Amino acid sequence: MKKIIIFSISGVLALSLLGGGGYWIFTLYSALGEYKELGTTAEIKSSITELKALQLESLQLNQEMEKAKTQFSSYKAGFLERSKQRAERKVATSIASFTPISGPYVLTSTAVKEYIENCEDAMALKKLEATMFGRAVTTNQSEGCKDRISYKLLPLFKYQMLRVRAGMSGSYGHFRDDAEKKFDNSRKLLQRWDIPVAKELESYTRF
């Protein structure tokens, strides 16, 4: 009886071991099959190399994006600050441009300043675009900003000043002191807002 029990237990243990071993072998075979689906060792190494290259490229792109964000934020802050100052300047100079006799003097000087500033803003934006997106600045954009408005406004100012000078001759000569005072105030206003005055323009403000 004892021998039967011992043989029975031995049989159960043997079956358990065989079953466990079979399951382990099946698991290994399945894992091996999945591994084979990945490809050969050379292919796997190649995939790992490509993955590392993509990770490096992604890191570089993220760094470039952060750099671009910083550059744009800096440009935006400067642009907004300049816009605020120019708006305040525009109010002051617009009021002064209504002053009799000296008004055109302020208007002409301010128009030249604004023309050049707008050109400089456009060039700065193009340079930012080139830096952020790798686009080259063309030759005509890199020539710089030139004053292309004075030659249209100066003749008008000269004509008006010649008429004012002619009108101040004779009995109207006492208006010269008032005119010179107006121009002096206008000069101070332009200096306060860092607006240069062309020498040719200034030469027609003396009476």
Side-chain angles (χ1 to χ4, degrees):
M1 185 69 180
K2 290 182 180 180
K3 290 182 180 181
I4 296 174
I5 294 173
I6 292 172
F7 282 131
S8 298
I9 293 173
S10 299
V12 171
L13 288 174
L15 289 173
S16 297
L17 289 173
L18 288 173
Y23 178 76
W24 181 71
I25 292 172
F26 175 78
T27 303
L28 287 178
Y29 182 80
S30 298
L32 181 61
E34 293 177 359
Y35 178 78
K36 286 182 177 180
E37 288 180 0
L38 294 176
T40 64
T41 303
E43 290 173 341
I44 293 173
K45 288 182 178 180
S46 177
S47 297
I48 292 174
T49 301
E50 291 179 5
L51 178 60
K52 289 182 179 180
L54 288 173
Q55 289 175 336
L56 179 61
E57 185 178 353
S58 176
L59 178 62
Q60 291 174 342
L61 286 173
N62 287 333
Q63 291 175 342
E64 290 176 3
M65 287 180 63
E66 289 301 321
K67 183 180 179 181
K69 288 179 181 179
T70 301
Q71 290 175 332
F72 180 77
S73 296
S74 177
Y75 175 84
K76 179 182 177 182
F79 178 81
L80 293 176
E81 181 61 26
R82 290 193 301 272
S83 297
K84 178 183 177 181
Q85 292 176 354
R86 290 174 187 176
E88 294 173 353
R89 183 187 68 192
K90 189 66 176 178
V91 173
T93 54
S94 295
I95 294 173
S97 66
F98 281 94
T99 303
I101 303 177
S102 65
Y105 172 80
V106 174
L107 179 63
T108 302
S109 299
T110 304
V112 172
K113 175 75 171 178
E114 291 175 348
Y115 183 91
I116 294 175
E117 285 177 339
N118 289 335
C119 177
E120 290 173 345
D121 282 347
M123 287 191 64
L125 185 58
K126 291 178 184 297
K127 288 180 180 179
L128 177 64
E129 181 186 25
T131 302
M132 292 176 64
F133 303 105
R135 298 176 182 173
V137 178
T138 59
T139 304
N140 61 341
Q141 294 168 350
S142 60
E143 290 178 351
C145 297
K146 298 178 181 179
D147 174 16
R148 295 182 175 87
I149 193 172
S150 290
Y151 77 97
K152 292 186 176 182
L153 297 180
L154 280 173
L156 299 175
F157 181 75
K158 291 177 184 179
Y159 176 73
Q160 184 166 350
M161 288 300 102
L162 290 173
R163 290 185 60 187
V164 170
R165 285 179 179 179
M168 288 183 179
S169 62
S171 60
Y172 292 97
H174 61 282
F175 284 111
R176 290 184 179 181
D177 291 339
D178 181 61
E180 289 180 354
K181 184 177 180 180
K182 284 184 172 64
F183 276 107
D184 186 54
N185 291 335
S186 296
R187 288 188 195 94
K188 291 177 181 177
L189 175 67
L190 295 176
Q191 289 174 359
R192 189 182 312 137
W193 291 103
D194 194 26
I195 300 175
V197 179
K199 291 182 180 180
E200 193 175 3
L201 186 70
E202 185 65 38
S203 64
Y204 279 83
T205 64
R206 308 298 178 184
F207 299 95

